[in-house]
mmCIF file of all heavy atoms in Angstrom:
data_model
loop_
_atom_site.group_PDB
_atom_site.id
_atom_site.type_symbol
_atom_site.label_atom_id
_atom_site.label_comp_id
_atom_site.label_asym_id
_atom_site.label_seq_id
_atom_site.Cartn_x
_atom_site.Cartn_y
_atom_site.Cartn_z
ATOM 1 N N ALA Q 1 -5.427 -4.528 -19.362
ATOM 2 C CA ALA Q 1 -6.362 -5.086 -18.471
ATOM 3 C C ALA Q 1 -5.862 -6.433 -17.937
ATOM 4 O O ALA Q 1 -6.007 -6.728 -16.641
ATOM 5 C CB ALA Q 1 -7.713 -5.281 -19.107
ATOM 6 N N THR Q 2 -5.206 -7.259 -18.672
ATOM 7 C CA THR Q 2 -4.719 -8.536 -18.196
ATOM 8 C C THR Q 2 -3.755 -8.294 -17.013
ATOM 9 O O THR Q 2 -3.816 -9.018 -15.938
ATOM 10 C CB THR Q 2 -4.073 -9.318 -19.227
ATOM 11 O OG1 THR Q 2 -5.084 -9.665 -20.295
ATOM 12 C CG2 THR Q 2 -3.471 -10.592 -18.798
ATOM 13 N N PHE Q 3 -2.866 -7.439 -17.222
ATOM 14 C CA PHE Q 3 -1.939 -7.045 -16.146
ATOM 15 C C PHE Q 3 -2.667 -6.408 -14.873
ATOM 16 O O PHE Q 3 -2.301 -6.820 -13.763
ATOM 17 C CB PHE Q 3 -0.823 -6.187 -16.593
ATOM 18 C CG PHE Q 3 -0.001 -6.686 -17.781
ATOM 19 C CD1 PHE Q 3 -0.348 -6.586 -19.073
ATOM 20 C CD2 PHE Q 3 1.169 -7.477 -17.471
ATOM 21 C CE1 PHE Q 3 0.415 -7.121 -20.141
ATOM 22 C CE2 PHE Q 3 1.881 -8.001 -18.487
ATOM 23 C CZ PHE Q 3 1.525 -7.863 -19.811
ATOM 24 N N GLN Q 4 -3.508 -5.548 -15.114
ATOM 25 C CA GLN Q 4 -4.262 -4.842 -14.108
ATOM 26 C C GLN Q 4 -4.985 -5.869 -13.247
ATOM 27 O O GLN Q 4 -5.141 -5.809 -12.046
ATOM 28 C CB GLN Q 4 -5.115 -3.799 -14.607
ATOM 29 C CG GLN Q 4 -4.306 -2.630 -15.184
ATOM 30 C CD GLN Q 4 -5.158 -1.667 -16.003
ATOM 31 O OE1 GLN Q 4 -6.177 -1.982 -16.462
ATOM 32 N NE2 GLN Q 4 -4.648 -0.398 -16.152
ATOM 33 N N ASP Q 5 -5.581 -6.934 -13.944
ATOM 34 C CA ASP Q 5 -6.271 -7.924 -13.257
ATOM 35 C C ASP Q 5 -5.347 -8.822 -12.371
ATOM 36 O O ASP Q 5 -5.734 -9.172 -11.205
ATOM 37 C CB ASP Q 5 -7.036 -8.821 -14.184
ATOM 38 C CG ASP Q 5 -8.316 -8.179 -14.706
ATOM 39 O OD1 ASP Q 5 -8.656 -7.132 -14.325
ATOM 40 O OD2 ASP Q 5 -9.059 -8.841 -15.450
ATOM 41 N N ALA Q 6 -4.235 -9.166 -12.905
ATOM 42 C CA ALA Q 6 -3.199 -9.896 -12.071
ATOM 43 C C ALA Q 6 -2.928 -9.037 -10.750
ATOM 44 O O ALA Q 6 -2.726 -9.628 -9.743
ATOM 45 C CB ALA Q 6 -1.947 -10.199 -12.934
ATOM 46 N N MET Q 7 -2.776 -7.780 -10.999
ATOM 47 C CA MET Q 7 -2.395 -6.904 -9.769
ATOM 48 C C MET Q 7 -3.591 -6.914 -8.839
ATOM 49 O O MET Q 7 -3.334 -7.137 -7.593
ATOM 50 C CB MET Q 7 -2.149 -5.471 -10.274
ATOM 51 C CG MET Q 7 -0.871 -5.255 -10.997
ATOM 52 S SD MET Q 7 -0.439 -3.468 -11.259
ATOM 53 C CE MET Q 7 -1.612 -2.996 -12.485
ATOM 54 N N ALA Q 8 -4.706 -6.660 -9.302
ATOM 55 C CA ALA Q 8 -5.871 -6.554 -8.399
ATOM 56 C C ALA Q 8 -6.175 -7.861 -7.641
ATOM 57 O O ALA Q 8 -6.526 -7.918 -6.581
ATOM 58 C CB ALA Q 8 -7.122 -6.158 -9.206
ATOM 59 N N ALA Q 9 -6.053 -8.965 -8.390
ATOM 60 C CA ALA Q 9 -6.293 -10.336 -7.839
ATOM 61 C C ALA Q 9 -5.310 -10.662 -6.784
ATOM 62 O O ALA Q 9 -5.765 -11.157 -5.710
ATOM 63 C CB ALA Q 9 -6.336 -11.448 -8.866
ATOM 64 N N SER Q 10 -4.035 -10.277 -7.043
ATOM 65 C CA SER Q 10 -3.088 -10.526 -5.934
ATOM 66 C C SER Q 10 -3.368 -9.690 -4.677
ATOM 67 O O SER Q 10 -3.150 -10.105 -3.583
ATOM 68 C CB SER Q 10 -1.688 -10.405 -6.578
ATOM 69 O OG SER Q 10 -1.475 -8.971 -6.942
ATOM 70 N N GLU Q 11 -3.654 -8.433 -4.962
ATOM 71 C CA GLU Q 11 -3.886 -7.466 -3.865
ATOM 72 C C GLU Q 11 -5.135 -7.881 -3.024
ATOM 73 O O GLU Q 11 -5.240 -7.514 -1.880
ATOM 74 C CB GLU Q 11 -3.877 -6.098 -4.347
ATOM 75 C CG GLU Q 11 -2.463 -5.650 -4.836
ATOM 76 C CD GLU Q 11 -2.600 -4.360 -5.711
ATOM 77 O OE1 GLU Q 11 -3.588 -3.650 -5.642
ATOM 78 O OE2 GLU Q 11 -1.566 -3.997 -6.290
ATOM 79 N N LYS Q 12 -6.088 -8.542 -3.671
ATOM 80 C CA LYS Q 12 -7.298 -8.934 -2.918
ATOM 81 C C LYS Q 12 -6.914 -9.911 -1.771
ATOM 82 O O LYS Q 12 -7.740 -10.045 -0.845
ATOM 83 C CB LYS Q 12 -8.228 -9.629 -4.006
ATOM 84 C CG LYS Q 12 -9.558 -10.141 -3.385
ATOM 85 C CD LYS Q 12 -10.538 -9.058 -3.234
ATOM 86 C CE LYS Q 12 -11.904 -9.573 -2.769
ATOM 87 N NZ LYS Q 12 -12.884 -8.595 -2.544
ATOM 88 N N LEU Q 13 -5.764 -10.520 -1.940
ATOM 89 C CA LEU Q 13 -5.379 -11.494 -0.948
ATOM 90 C C LEU Q 13 -5.313 -10.746 0.536
ATOM 91 O O LEU Q 13 -5.700 -11.404 1.556
ATOM 92 C CB LEU Q 13 -3.960 -11.983 -1.141
ATOM 93 C CG LEU Q 13 -3.824 -13.360 -1.691
ATOM 94 C CD1 LEU Q 13 -2.381 -13.726 -2.096
ATOM 95 C CD2 LEU Q 13 -4.305 -14.433 -0.612
ATOM 96 N N ARG Q 14 -5.023 -9.486 0.572
ATOM 97 C CA ARG Q 14 -4.882 -8.896 1.763
ATOM 98 C C ARG Q 14 -6.199 -8.773 2.489
ATOM 99 O O ARG Q 14 -6.394 -8.926 3.695
ATOM 100 C CB ARG Q 14 -4.269 -7.424 1.635
ATOM 101 C CG ARG Q 14 -2.922 -7.301 1.212
ATOM 102 C CD ARG Q 14 -2.430 -5.982 1.366
ATOM 103 N NE ARG Q 14 -1.039 -5.785 0.887
ATOM 104 C CZ ARG Q 14 -0.754 -5.390 -0.400
ATOM 105 N NH1 ARG Q 14 -1.731 -4.991 -1.237
ATOM 106 N NH2 ARG Q 14 0.466 -5.212 -0.750
ATOM 107 N N GLU Q 15 -7.219 -8.479 1.749
ATOM 108 C CA GLU Q 15 -8.546 -8.401 2.281
ATOM 109 C C GLU Q 15 -9.081 -9.736 2.763
ATOM 110 O O GLU Q 15 -9.779 -9.778 3.752
ATOM 111 C CB GLU Q 15 -9.509 -7.744 1.182
ATOM 112 C CG GLU Q 15 -11.041 -7.690 1.574
ATOM 113 C CD GLU Q 15 -11.828 -7.277 0.340
ATOM 114 O OE1 GLU Q 15 -11.325 -6.569 -0.439
ATOM 115 O OE2 GLU Q 15 -13.001 -7.686 0.365
ATOM 116 N N ALA Q 16 -8.788 -10.706 2.105
ATOM 117 C CA ALA Q 16 -9.247 -12.129 2.507
ATOM 118 C C ALA Q 16 -8.443 -12.812 3.539
ATOM 119 O O ALA Q 16 -8.981 -13.773 4.091
ATOM 120 C CB ALA Q 16 -9.225 -12.976 1.178
ATOM 121 N N ALA Q 17 -7.276 -12.346 3.734
ATOM 122 C CA ALA Q 17 -6.273 -13.106 4.650
ATOM 123 C C ALA Q 17 -6.958 -13.293 6.074
ATOM 124 O O ALA Q 17 -6.831 -14.403 6.595
ATOM 125 C CB ALA Q 17 -4.951 -12.379 4.668
ATOM 126 N N PRO Q 18 -7.463 -12.346 6.716
ATOM 127 C CA PRO Q 18 -7.931 -12.491 8.070
ATOM 128 C C PRO Q 18 -9.066 -13.538 8.100
ATOM 129 O O PRO Q 18 -9.091 -14.513 9.043
ATOM 130 C CB PRO Q 18 -8.374 -11.206 8.532
ATOM 131 C CG PRO Q 18 -7.685 -10.168 7.766
ATOM 132 C CD PRO Q 18 -7.599 -10.850 6.406
ATOM 133 N N ARG Q 19 -10.067 -13.474 7.250
ATOM 134 C CA ARG Q 19 -11.260 -14.372 7.216
ATOM 135 C C ARG Q 19 -10.730 -15.768 7.054
ATOM 136 O O ARG Q 19 -11.345 -16.752 7.684
ATOM 137 C CB ARG Q 19 -12.209 -13.957 6.150
ATOM 138 C CG ARG Q 19 -13.477 -14.934 6.041
ATOM 139 C CD ARG Q 19 -14.356 -14.362 5.054
ATOM 140 N NE ARG Q 19 -15.526 -15.287 4.890
ATOM 141 C CZ ARG Q 19 -16.484 -15.117 3.999
ATOM 142 N NH1 ARG Q 19 -16.421 -14.176 3.129
ATOM 143 N NH2 ARG Q 19 -17.444 -16.064 3.957
ATOM 144 N N TYR Q 20 -9.806 -16.011 6.061
ATOM 145 C CA TYR Q 20 -9.514 -17.333 5.752
ATOM 146 C C TYR Q 20 -8.184 -17.851 6.295
ATOM 147 O O TYR Q 20 -7.713 -18.944 5.906
ATOM 148 C CB TYR Q 20 -9.448 -17.492 4.224
ATOM 149 C CG TYR Q 20 -10.748 -17.318 3.536
ATOM 150 C CD1 TYR Q 20 -11.173 -16.106 2.908
ATOM 151 C CD2 TYR Q 20 -11.798 -18.260 3.533
ATOM 152 C CE1 TYR Q 20 -12.344 -15.823 2.289
ATOM 153 C CE2 TYR Q 20 -13.037 -18.062 2.970
ATOM 154 C CZ TYR Q 20 -13.300 -16.854 2.358
ATOM 155 O OH TYR Q 20 -14.496 -16.671 1.854
ATOM 156 N N HIS Q 21 -7.602 -17.173 7.201
ATOM 157 C CA HIS Q 21 -6.387 -17.520 7.947
ATOM 158 C C HIS Q 21 -5.284 -17.771 6.963
ATOM 159 O O HIS Q 21 -4.596 -18.841 6.971
ATOM 160 C CB HIS Q 21 -6.557 -18.834 8.771
ATOM 161 C CG HIS Q 21 -7.734 -18.709 9.673
ATOM 162 N ND1 HIS Q 21 -7.741 -17.933 10.837
ATOM 163 C CD2 HIS Q 21 -9.017 -19.262 9.662
ATOM 164 C CE1 HIS Q 21 -8.915 -18.033 11.360
ATOM 165 N NE2 HIS Q 21 -9.667 -18.810 10.702
ATOM 166 N N LEU Q 22 -5.008 -16.746 6.090
ATOM 167 C CA LEU Q 22 -3.977 -16.865 5.095
ATOM 168 C C LEU Q 22 -2.655 -16.095 5.552
ATOM 169 O O LEU Q 22 -2.750 -14.964 5.998
ATOM 170 C CB LEU Q 22 -4.362 -16.204 3.732
ATOM 171 C CG LEU Q 22 -5.794 -16.759 3.202
ATOM 172 C CD1 LEU Q 22 -6.128 -16.045 1.930
ATOM 173 C CD2 LEU Q 22 -5.635 -18.272 2.989
ATOM 174 N N ASP Q 23 -1.602 -16.746 5.439
ATOM 175 C CA ASP Q 23 -0.244 -16.224 5.926
ATOM 176 C C ASP Q 23 0.352 -15.404 4.828
ATOM 177 O O ASP Q 23 0.993 -15.851 3.900
ATOM 178 C CB ASP Q 23 0.600 -17.348 6.359
ATOM 179 C CG ASP Q 23 1.969 -16.931 6.833
ATOM 180 O OD1 ASP Q 23 2.204 -15.723 6.968
ATOM 181 O OD2 ASP Q 23 2.748 -17.749 7.272
ATOM 182 N N LEU Q 24 0.216 -14.083 4.838
ATOM 183 C CA LEU Q 24 0.746 -13.099 3.964
ATOM 184 C C LEU Q 24 2.254 -13.095 3.913
ATOM 185 O O LEU Q 24 2.844 -12.548 2.958
ATOM 186 C CB LEU Q 24 0.145 -11.772 4.113
ATOM 187 C CG LEU Q 24 -1.456 -11.647 3.873
ATOM 188 C CD1 LEU Q 24 -1.874 -10.246 4.014
ATOM 189 C CD2 LEU Q 24 -1.738 -12.158 2.417
ATOM 190 N N ALA Q 25 2.896 -13.593 4.862
ATOM 191 C CA ALA Q 25 4.421 -13.541 5.002
ATOM 192 C C ALA Q 25 4.937 -14.777 4.169
ATOM 193 O O ALA Q 25 6.111 -14.846 3.936
ATOM 194 C CB ALA Q 25 4.923 -13.707 6.489
ATOM 195 N N HIS Q 26 3.964 -15.680 3.738
ATOM 196 C CA HIS Q 26 4.402 -16.821 3.000
ATOM 197 C C HIS Q 26 3.517 -17.057 1.768
ATOM 198 O O HIS Q 26 2.745 -17.961 1.743
ATOM 199 C CB HIS Q 26 4.428 -18.112 3.883
ATOM 200 C CG HIS Q 26 5.567 -18.065 4.874
ATOM 201 N ND1 HIS Q 26 5.370 -17.505 6.173
ATOM 202 C CD2 HIS Q 26 6.916 -18.634 4.852
ATOM 203 C CE1 HIS Q 26 6.562 -17.617 6.888
ATOM 204 N NE2 HIS Q 26 7.385 -18.283 6.008
ATOM 205 N N VAL Q 27 3.658 -16.054 0.790
ATOM 206 C CA VAL Q 27 2.947 -16.223 -0.522
ATOM 207 C C VAL Q 27 3.954 -16.567 -1.596
ATOM 208 O O VAL Q 27 4.842 -15.802 -1.792
ATOM 209 C CB VAL Q 27 2.181 -14.899 -0.749
ATOM 210 C CG1 VAL Q 27 1.444 -15.056 -2.090
ATOM 211 C CG2 VAL Q 27 1.244 -14.521 0.379
ATOM 212 N N VAL Q 28 3.776 -17.663 -2.201
ATOM 213 C CA VAL Q 28 4.585 -18.012 -3.323
ATOM 214 C C VAL Q 28 3.699 -18.048 -4.590
ATOM 215 O O VAL Q 28 2.704 -18.769 -4.558
ATOM 216 C CB VAL Q 28 5.280 -19.431 -3.227
ATOM 217 C CG1 VAL Q 28 5.987 -19.883 -4.438
ATOM 218 C CG2 VAL Q 28 6.219 -19.366 -2.053
ATOM 219 N N ALA Q 29 4.064 -17.306 -5.605
ATOM 220 C CA ALA Q 29 3.381 -17.309 -6.867
ATOM 221 C C ALA Q 29 3.796 -18.534 -7.685
ATOM 222 O O ALA Q 29 5.028 -18.793 -7.778
ATOM 223 C CB ALA Q 29 3.620 -16.036 -7.683
ATOM 224 N N VAL Q 30 2.854 -19.212 -8.279
ATOM 225 C CA VAL Q 30 3.151 -20.334 -9.175
ATOM 226 C C VAL Q 30 2.353 -20.131 -10.487
ATOM 227 O O VAL Q 30 1.056 -20.074 -10.440
ATOM 228 C CB VAL Q 30 2.778 -21.659 -8.586
ATOM 229 C CG1 VAL Q 30 2.985 -22.819 -9.576
ATOM 230 C CG2 VAL Q 30 3.606 -21.938 -7.354
ATOM 231 N N GLY Q 31 2.982 -19.798 -11.622
ATOM 232 C CA GLY Q 31 2.284 -19.596 -12.810
ATOM 233 C C GLY Q 31 2.739 -20.565 -13.912
ATOM 234 O O GLY Q 31 3.936 -21.020 -13.985
ATOM 235 N N HIS Q 32 1.905 -20.972 -14.821
ATOM 236 C CA HIS Q 32 2.251 -21.816 -15.943
ATOM 237 C C HIS Q 32 2.118 -21.133 -17.222
ATOM 238 O O HIS Q 32 1.045 -20.573 -17.563
ATOM 239 C CB HIS Q 32 1.292 -23.033 -15.831
ATOM 240 C CG HIS Q 32 1.432 -24.081 -16.920
ATOM 241 N ND1 HIS Q 32 0.446 -24.329 -17.871
ATOM 242 C CD2 HIS Q 32 2.492 -24.774 -17.255
ATOM 243 C CE1 HIS Q 32 0.937 -25.229 -18.677
ATOM 244 N NE2 HIS Q 32 2.118 -25.506 -18.372
ATOM 245 N N SER Q 33 3.002 -21.227 -18.071
ATOM 246 C CA SER Q 33 3.032 -20.731 -19.484
ATOM 247 C C SER Q 33 2.768 -19.316 -19.546
ATOM 248 O O SER Q 33 3.467 -18.461 -18.917
ATOM 249 C CB SER Q 33 2.000 -21.617 -20.280
ATOM 250 O OG SER Q 33 2.202 -21.401 -21.656
ATOM 251 N N ALA Q 34 1.646 -18.896 -20.014
ATOM 252 C CA ALA Q 34 1.279 -17.413 -20.014
ATOM 253 C C ALA Q 34 1.189 -16.998 -18.549
ATOM 254 O O ALA Q 34 1.409 -15.788 -18.217
ATOM 255 C CB ALA Q 34 -0.016 -17.118 -20.750
ATOM 256 N N GLY Q 35 0.640 -17.817 -17.627
ATOM 257 C CA GLY Q 35 0.569 -17.522 -16.217
ATOM 258 C C GLY Q 35 1.889 -17.389 -15.543
ATOM 259 O O GLY Q 35 2.132 -16.733 -14.593
ATOM 260 N N GLY Q 36 2.863 -18.143 -16.105
ATOM 261 C CA GLY Q 36 4.215 -18.001 -15.617
ATOM 262 C C GLY Q 36 4.817 -16.698 -15.912
ATOM 263 O O GLY Q 36 5.542 -16.003 -15.137
ATOM 264 N N HIS Q 37 4.409 -16.182 -17.142
ATOM 265 C CA HIS Q 37 4.784 -14.811 -17.459
ATOM 266 C C HIS Q 37 4.160 -13.774 -16.489
ATOM 267 O O HIS Q 37 4.816 -12.835 -15.934
ATOM 268 C CB HIS Q 37 4.353 -14.433 -18.944
ATOM 269 C CG HIS Q 37 4.082 -13.079 -19.280
ATOM 270 N ND1 HIS Q 37 2.879 -12.498 -19.262
ATOM 271 C CD2 HIS Q 37 5.026 -12.068 -19.594
ATOM 272 C CE1 HIS Q 37 2.976 -11.185 -19.479
ATOM 273 N NE2 HIS Q 37 4.249 -10.937 -19.730
ATOM 274 N N LEU Q 38 2.915 -13.928 -16.194
ATOM 275 C CA LEU Q 38 2.296 -12.981 -15.283
ATOM 276 C C LEU Q 38 2.740 -13.129 -13.920
ATOM 277 O O LEU Q 38 2.878 -12.068 -13.140
ATOM 278 C CB LEU Q 38 0.712 -13.209 -15.341
ATOM 279 C CG LEU Q 38 0.055 -12.799 -16.626
ATOM 280 C CD1 LEU Q 38 -1.418 -13.310 -16.630
ATOM 281 C CD2 LEU Q 38 0.097 -11.290 -16.864
ATOM 282 N N ALA Q 39 3.143 -14.288 -13.437
ATOM 283 C CA ALA Q 39 3.664 -14.428 -12.084
ATOM 284 C C ALA Q 39 4.977 -13.679 -11.981
ATOM 285 O O ALA Q 39 5.314 -12.993 -11.079
ATOM 286 C CB ALA Q 39 3.818 -15.911 -11.780
ATOM 287 N N MET Q 40 5.871 -13.878 -12.986
ATOM 288 C CA MET Q 40 7.074 -13.278 -13.019
ATOM 289 C C MET Q 40 6.948 -11.738 -13.060
ATOM 290 O O MET Q 40 7.657 -10.889 -12.520
ATOM 291 C CB MET Q 40 7.995 -13.761 -14.171
ATOM 292 C CG MET Q 40 9.479 -13.286 -14.060
ATOM 293 S SD MET Q 40 10.397 -14.148 -12.749
ATOM 294 C CE MET Q 40 10.765 -15.744 -13.561
ATOM 295 N N TRP Q 41 5.953 -11.385 -13.897
ATOM 296 C CA TRP Q 41 5.628 -9.891 -14.060
ATOM 297 C C TRP Q 41 5.301 -9.252 -12.637
ATOM 298 O O TRP Q 41 5.708 -8.132 -12.393
ATOM 299 C CB TRP Q 41 4.532 -9.574 -15.100
ATOM 300 C CG TRP Q 41 4.343 -8.220 -15.286
ATOM 301 C CD1 TRP Q 41 4.962 -7.315 -16.159
ATOM 302 C CD2 TRP Q 41 3.354 -7.438 -14.594
ATOM 303 N NE1 TRP Q 41 4.429 -6.069 -16.029
ATOM 304 C CE2 TRP Q 41 3.451 -6.092 -15.099
ATOM 305 C CE3 TRP Q 41 2.398 -7.748 -13.691
ATOM 306 C CZ2 TRP Q 41 2.657 -5.083 -14.655
ATOM 307 C CZ3 TRP Q 41 1.496 -6.757 -13.243
ATOM 308 C CH2 TRP Q 41 1.704 -5.366 -13.689
ATOM 309 N N LEU Q 42 4.532 -9.972 -11.835
ATOM 310 C CA LEU Q 42 4.207 -9.499 -10.593
ATOM 311 C C LEU Q 42 5.445 -9.184 -9.717
ATOM 312 O O LEU Q 42 5.448 -8.259 -9.056
ATOM 313 C CB LEU Q 42 3.200 -10.519 -9.866
ATOM 314 C CG LEU Q 42 1.812 -10.546 -10.333
ATOM 315 C CD1 LEU Q 42 1.041 -11.651 -9.605
ATOM 316 C CD2 LEU Q 42 1.027 -9.136 -10.085
ATOM 317 N N GLN Q 43 6.372 -10.116 -9.842
ATOM 318 C CA GLN Q 43 7.647 -9.849 -9.104
ATOM 319 C C GLN Q 43 8.438 -8.614 -9.693
ATOM 320 O O GLN Q 43 9.167 -7.976 -8.927
ATOM 321 C CB GLN Q 43 8.499 -11.015 -9.210
ATOM 322 C CG GLN Q 43 9.880 -10.994 -8.537
ATOM 323 C CD GLN Q 43 9.849 -10.922 -7.039
ATOM 324 O OE1 GLN Q 43 8.777 -11.326 -6.449
ATOM 325 N NE2 GLN Q 43 10.766 -10.297 -6.429
#
């Protein structure tokens, strides 16, 4: 589930991008400690 949530949360960006003017061509993941693991895992 932890990994599936990281996937789902990242993919939610696509839905939110038009409303909040988010540039999907320039998304940089930044993760710390266990979050650094999950960020690298997304890659």
